[in-house]
Amino acid sequence: MKRDFLHVSDFSSEEIVETLELTSWVKNKLKNDRSYFPFKYQTMAMIFAKPSARTRVSFETGFFKLGGHALYLGPNDIGIGKRESVADIANVLSRYNDIIMARLFKHDHILELAENASIPVVNGLTDYNHPCQIMADIFTIYEKLGSLDNIKVTYIGDGNNIVHSWLELALRIPMHFVCACPEGYTPDKHLVENVKANSKSIIEISHDPYDAVKGSNIIYTDVWASMGQKEETQERQKKFKDFQVNKKLMSASGTETYFMHCLPAERGIEVTDEICDSKYSIIFDQAENRMHAQNAVMIKLQKDSK
Ligand code: CP
Ligand code: NVA
């Protein structure tokens, strides 16, 4: 038996809370006592079909600091789904390694990878979702607010992979989540309906960013054109022009509101420098917490897979 982490909702509500507690514990452990090596003599294969700064560095350093060794397999190395089938890669990597982390284009490929691997698989982003990012984000919010009760998170921009993982979280942890996006850029309808029908969360899809941010604890944004969509950049900049996170939009929340961004940011496009560098911006805390949240996820998967 082995467990994977492909969607935030692969974990139950209790397991998400348990993972947040473990994140806090392992973060503290790494900062104060460098003698905890749960991954000693272990290896992690990291498959990257897309570029990355945070995901690569946080997984590689996190795994190393906990005693293991991580291998970077870039877009030109194994050619997953092109040079070799996803299933064959899954089988081969399972013979050498203890865990796989993969950043892929097609979500179906991460599902196939996990299905065919005999070791835990962690999703490091697909076109559909980015669960590790949102585990780090909710941990960061918990650190800042001290509680997850009655939080309102407003996401401004494209209804993309980041939004899908917020929705997966909202399926398990009650919250008020608003996605304010231009028409035609809404998140997956089936997922939205599923969360509305099967959780205590309040989910809204809005096309009015100024109305959406009212009373928000968090205003979150991401690039308007994700990896794989960069040829749409100009068209999207026109369609998204009223969705920039700037001083006017931040003040429209009418309350004390933190600014979040998964990064990389296109400063001056979806968010102004002024907001990125303001005292309400917690973007680098998020980035740091990627490592701690992922460490906790990996420790949990290994424990559950024994
Ligand atoms: N937030 C995030 O996943 O960053 P990278 O694309 O740099 O890994
Ligand atoms: N939506 C962005 C997130 C990057 C971390 C992308 O997929 O490019």
Side-chain angles (χ1 to χ4, degrees):
M1 281 299 290
K2 60 110 182 183
R3 277 198 87 182
D4 307 302
F5 185 67
L6 310 181
H7 315 89
V8 178
S9 48
D10 291 350
F11 285 178
S12 66
S13 311
E14 293 74 25
E15 286 178 320
I16 291 172
V17 172
E18 176 199 317
T19 307
L20 296 181
E21 281 162 7
L22 185 57
T23 302
S24 176
W25 181 85
V26 75
K27 178 174 181 174
N28 191 47
K29 196 86 180 150
L30 272 186
K31 286 196 191 280
N32 299 307
D33 162 20
R34 297 292 293 274
S35 64
Y36 176 60
F37 302 123
F39 302 135
K40 196 170 175 189
Y41 299 126
Q42 296 197 11
T43 59
M44 168 167 58
M46 304 191 300
I47 309 173
F48 281 92
K50 297 182 180 186
S52 169
R54 279 145 293 273
T55 305
R56 181 193 172 168
V57 178
S58 58
F59 268 103
E60 188 165 332
T61 53
F63 202 70
F64 176 78
K65 285 178 183 190
L66 296 179
H69 174 75
L71 298 94
Y72 172 77
L73 303 165
N76 298 323
D77 292 323
I78 57 176
I80 189 163
K82 291 185 198 131
R83 181 171 180 264
E84 196 164 356
S85 77
V86 175
D88 283 358
I89 294 274
N91 275 295
V92 170
L93 292 180
S94 298
R95 299 290 178 110
Y96 301 126
N97 296 286
D98 301 278
I99 188 161
I100 298 173
M101 191 287 300
R103 164 168 288 193
L104 306 175
F105 284 89
K106 291 190 182 139
H107 194 66
D108 280 353
H109 279 177
I110 198 102
L111 302 179
E112 202 182 334
L113 189 70
E115 207 175 291
N116 289 280
S118 57
I119 55 176
V121 173
V122 180
N123 177 355
L125 180 146
T126 66
D127 288 345
Y128 180 69
N129 68 353
H130 196 3
C132 291
Q133 179 69 53
I134 273 51
M135 287 302 286
D137 295 340
I138 196 64
F139 177 74
T140 309
I141 293 172
Y142 182 68
E143 276 189 325
K144 297 293 168 190
L145 299 179
S147 155
L148 295 181
D149 294 340
N150 301 315
I151 54 165
K152 179 176 179 186
V153 176
T154 302
Y155 174 97
I156 307 286
D158 185 27
N160 63 14
N161 44 9
I162 294 291
V163 177
H164 293 154
S165 282
W166 270 110
L167 289 166
E168 292 165 355
L169 180 71
L171 192 59
R172 298 281 180 254
I173 302 286
M175 67 175 72
H176 185 174
F177 179 76
V178 188
C179 171
C181 53
E183 284 185 41
Y185 294 89
T186 50
D188 181 59
K189 241 189 359 224
H190 300 292
L191 179 57
V192 171
E193 290 312 316
N194 180 19
V195 183
K196 280 185 180 173
N198 296 303
S199 76
K200 291 188 186 137
S201 291
I202 301 167
I203 305 296
E204 292 179 274
I205 306 299
S206 158
H207 302 302
D208 179 348
Y210 285 86
D211 184 52
V213 297
K214 280 183 196 150
S216 295
N217 302 103
I218 307 293
I219 293 179
Y220 194 120
T221 194
D222 182 17
V223 289
W224 292 340
S226 286
M227 290 178 274
Q229 302 172 329
K230 296 299 178 190
E231 73 287 352
E232 294 174 30
T233 297
Q234 287 198 333
E235 183 197 339
R236 283 173 178 256
Q237 284 189 10
K238 281 186 212 136
K239 292 194 173 143
F240 284 74
K241 67 175 176 12
D242 298 329
F243 290 79
Q244 185 188 63
V245 179
N246 50 34
K247 204 171 169 187
K248 195 171 149 213
L249 186 61
M250 285 299 290
S251 351
S253 77
T255 181
E256 207 161 277
T257 306
Y258 286 112
F259 171 69
M260 299 181 80
H261 193 311
C262 54
L263 303 176
E266 292 189 29
R267 285 167 173 251
I269 307 290
E270 76 274 5
V271 59
T272 58
D273 273 332
E274 189 182 23
I275 297 304
C276 272
D277 301 326
S278 69
K279 62 177 179 178
Y280 301 111
S281 171
I282 53 174
I283 57 178
F284 300 121
D285 298 304
Q286 283 177 265
E288 176 187 339
N289 284 331
R290 285 292 303 278
M291 181 174 82
H292 305 302
Q294 291 156 190
N295 284 346
V297 166
M298 291 189 290
I299 292 168
K300 175 171 171 50
L301 293 182
Q302 291 232 321
K303 193 176 100 226
D304 291 356
S305 297
K306 279 189 182 133

